[in-house]
Amino acid sequence: MNTEQFQLILQSALQALPTLLGATPVTLGFALAAMLLGLPLGFGVALARLSHVGLLRGLSSLFVSFMRGTPLLVQIFVIYYGLPSLGVTLNPVAGGIIALTLNAAAYLSETIRAAILSIPKGQREAATSLGLNPSQTMRLIVLPQAARVALPSMSNTLIGLVKDTSLVSVITVVELLRSAQLVIARTFEPFGPYLAAALIYWAISSLLELVQRALERRFSRGA
């Protein structure tokens, strides 16, 4: 790469930067929405997998197996392009958020389930002996400790969601990657815009990693 080529790439990246930064809130919005919606859904799925009711265990296990065993891109296509054949039509934003939420919920449910199972059974027995019912035991004893165990994996899921939002560009959502593609369509210079988009994804992920470490330190002091 000579100096002229480097300057051309740098110039195209800088020219694309305002457009890409303008689309960054869309990327963050998709990731945060999927995380906030996926957490309670994942918690419900985790409880279903821990249930003594065979039907609940079976259905929740099937959901997790399907969502983890198929590509997210295919799930987006099924929801956005497939559901209209069943009479359910979604706009790109709703379709993207639903696909990301369901996918995140499957992974979060396994994280939550493993965290709950990591709490010694003796603590539940002690809570019962103190007169706490199962709901109180879960809320007051198990979940606060499970949250510390699950935090790193849940943070990694959020970071993964930020990167996975790039896939909703295939259903015309103008997020970070789609914005880079639109810039390239105008300038015919792919390297700079894609590089700028990659650096923005990297910066977001790095910032979230710093937040994760800070939360882990805080939880470890409170342990």
Side-chain angles (χ1 to χ4, degrees), residues 43 46-47 50 112 116-117 119 124 127 132-146:
F43 180 67
L47 292 182
L50 294 171
I112 294 169
I116 290 174
L117 290 175
I119 307 305
R124 296 184 180 86
L132 298 180
N133 59 42
S135 176
Q136 291 172 322
T137 300
M138 178 64 69
R139 179 166 50 88
L140 300 175
I141 306 298
V142 176
L143 289 183
Q145 298 178 78

Side-chain angles (χ1 to χ4, degrees), residues 77-131:
F77 283 153
V78 168
I79 290 172
Y80 184 69
Y81 293 113
L83 288 182
S85 64
L86 301 178
V88 180
T89 301
L90 300 169
N91 63 51
V93 172
I97 289 177
I98 289 172
L100 290 170
T101 296
L102 293 176
N103 187 270
Y107 285 92
L108 288 169
S109 70
E110 288 298 274
T111 297
I112 294 169
R113 184 174 72 93
I116 290 174
L117 290 175
S118 71
I119 307 305
K121 185 179 179 180
Q123 294 198 23
R124 296 184 180 86
E125 295 172 346
T128 301
S129 68
L130 291 173

Side-chain angles (χ1 to χ4, degrees), residues 147-223:
R148 296 191 183 97
V149 176
L151 178 61
S153 293
M154 291 170 62
S155 300
N156 290 336
T157 298
L158 178 57
I159 292 171
L161 277 172
V162 170
K163 294 179 286 186
D164 288 342
T165 56
S166 62
L167 295 176
V168 301
S169 63
V170 301
I171 55 174
T172 71
V173 175
V174 184
E175 43 64 70
L176 187 52
L177 179 61
R178 181 63 176 166
S179 293
Q181 293 170 340
L182 293 175
V183 171
I184 292 166
R186 296 196 306 266
T187 63
F188 302 102
E189 170 52 52
F191 197 165
Y194 279 141
L195 179 60
L199 291 174
I200 293 173
Y201 280 118
W202 183 29
I204 295 171
S205 298
S206 299
L207 179 60
L208 290 175
E209 286 177 2
L210 291 176
V211 173
Q212 172 188 341
R213 290 170 188 164
L215 288 174
E216 287 178 359
R217 287 194 296 269
R218 181 174 179 180
F219 271 108
S220 64
R221 287 198 300 269

